[in-house]
Amino acid sequence: SRFRHRSTRQGLPLLAAGLILLLQGAVQASERPNILYIMLDDAGYEDYTRFDDDPDSEFGPVRYPRPHLRRFMSESRRFEQHYTAPMCTPTRVSSLSGQYPLFYGIQWVCGSSATFGIPDSHVTTPEALAALGYRTATFGKWHAGKHLPEYLAPAKFQHAVVSTGVSNTGYMDAGYVFGTATEPVIFKGEHVTDKTAALVIEHLRWLAGGPDGGAESPFFINYWLHAPHKPFDPAQRWLQYYCPQGQPKCPKSQRYRALMSQADENIGAVLAALDELGLAGDTLVLLSSDNGLPRELDLPSPLRGRKTDVFEGGIKLPLVARWPQRLS
């Protein structure tokens, strides 16, 4: 029926609302988990559901290593009826607000002159969690509001380190705006994918380090990667793995996969930090992507459609959740 079809295609609004309800009532305050929400950018359904050693995988002459994602998948529960918007900004706004993006009139990635975001009067997921005693932070991509202070990450999170972007500048010389600063800090020679993970790990160490870090309080961290979004600009170590002949002759599809392997490497480093700091058992880790594969890539997928489409290839991205002893 029409009702049944609509009721099974649920995604980010219910995820955000469900987190709040879970932590308000279903779990005692002393048992509230830390939450690490990892969002990839333009990673398609295949990228973290099929791996080289699957019997039906055909990734071509170059292997497509993602060992950390594969291990994470094996330790987690995968929710298949999870849907995003077909574009970046609407998905991110939903994840922060618990509302469908059209509620705010957001249907697309807004242009450079647009003013958009979640109004200050609307309580967001990090603000609701902060009211429950959570220490909140966001790292990496934002793209969920701009041009008014109330739409920016520092208005929603207690600690915000937001990347200046990669679309126009590429992934090297990573730039970040820390908190309410007006000028970015540029890390010359550093790749955004590597640097964002390093900043997340540094924050985890601070949180686990004692009273100043709030180790006695649970945390909520948004870890939002740019990878594998274009311009498909992986670090040299991964470019050489996929294309020993160098960048000019390296197909977009291989540069894209190189970025995914680099994202896998860094997600693995963050998960290893949770283990090292004794936080893994008390942390709910969520993983998804903001939309499906980019349209310009000729990569196989069992789903019809790509990014910007409302066919499943553009919006069906499994939500993967790991909470030891609670989810299996």
Side-chain angles (χ1 to χ4, degrees):
S1 69
R2 180 170 176 264
F3 174 80
R4 182 176 182 275
H5 174 72
R6 291 184 63 192
S7 69
T8 57
R9 288 168 65 97
Q10 302 292 357
L12 288 163
L14 282 186
L15 167 63
L19 277 177
I20 303 301
L21 291 175
L22 169 70
L23 298 169
Q24 280 179 328
V27 179
Q28 296 295 319
S30 61
E31 298 177 333
R32 288 172 182 161
N34 305 311
I35 304 168
L36 174 64
Y37 181 23
I38 305 170
M39 187 185 290
L40 292 159
D41 195 349
D42 285 8
Y45 184 88
E46 293 286 88
D47 289 312
Y48 56 103
T49 58
R50 294 177 63 197
F51 297 86
D52 281 293
D53 52 354
D54 292 338
D56 58 346
S57 290
E58 295 180 3
F59 290 113
V62 181
R63 290 180 63 83
Y64 184 17
R66 288 149 295 142
H68 304 290
L69 287 176
R70 182 164 182 76
R71 178 185 173 189
F72 178 76
M73 298 287 291
S74 71
E75 299 170 343
S76 306
R77 180 180 293 183
R78 190 166 90 198
F79 297 89
E80 288 286 345
Q81 293 299 325
H82 175 261
Y83 289 82
T84 70
M87 290 289 286
C88 170
T89 297
T91 293
R92 293 167 194 276
V93 166
S94 283
S95 76
L96 290 165
S97 68
Q99 300 284 351
Y100 287 102
L102 195 58
F103 184 80
Y104 300 109
I106 295 173
Q107 304 177 65
W108 203 252
V109 174
C110 297
S112 60
S113 61
T115 298
F116 69 99
I118 302 168
D120 194 45
S121 59
H122 291 217
V123 177
T124 61
T125 304
E127 291 168 314
L129 291 175
L132 296 174
Y134 274 75
R135 305 291 295 266
T136 66
T138 188
F139 293 88
K141 186 168 181 174
W142 179 242
H143 224 190
K146 60 182 178 181
H147 288 175
L148 288 180
E150 67 181 68
Y151 292 160
L152 302 178
K156 317 300 180 188
F157 288 85
Q158 297 163 341
H159 184 77
V161 182
V162 175
S163 165
T164 56
V166 300
S167 295
N168 297 322
T169 60
Y171 279 78
M172 294 304 297
D173 297 336
Y176 297 87
V177 175
F178 287 76
T180 58
T182 57
E183 295 296 328
V185 177
I186 307 299
F187 295 88
K188 297 292 290 183
E190 297 199 50
H191 194 282
V192 171
T193 308
D194 298 337
K195 187 61 182 180
T196 301
L199 291 167
V200 172
I201 293 169
E202 179 182 332
H203 188 70
L204 287 171
R205 295 191 189 284
W206 177 75
L207 286 170
D212 290 342
E216 72 286 352
S217 302
F219 61 76
F220 171 61
I221 296 176
N222 262 4
Y223 169 29
W224 286 2
L225 294 87
H226 284 280
H229 191 284
K230 66 180 181 182
F232 314 131
D233 185 18
Q236 192 65 24
R237 63 186 184 276
W238 283 108
L239 179 64
Q240 289 177 342
Y241 172 84
Y242 281 91
C243 295
Q245 69 273 30
Q247 178 99 359
K249 297 181 179 180
C250 191
K252 288 181 180 178
S253 60
Q254 293 298 76
R255 300 202 306 268
Y256 172 92
R257 285 175 169 168
L259 265 177
M260 268 299 297
S261 289
Q262 188 174 350
D264 172 90
E265 176 185 38
N266 281 280
I267 290 170
V270 171
L271 296 177
L274 291 178
D275 289 331
E276 175 194 339
L277 297 169
L279 298 170
D282 299 320
T283 301
L284 168 63
V285 181
L286 302 168
L287 170 71
S288 191
S289 179
D290 58 353
N291 48 249
L293 281 170
R295 305 190 68 83
E296 59 264 47
L297 296 180
D298 183 21
L299 290 172
S301 174
L303 304 179
R304 179 186 180 187
R306 297 286 170 132
K307 177 180 178 177
T308 75
D309 289 330
V310 292
F311 298 117
E312 289 202 331
I315 61 175
K316 182 180 177 67
L317 285 305
L319 174 71
V320 187
R322 187 186 77 178
W323 187 4
Q325 312 305 319
R326 296 300 184 102
L327 292 174
S328 59

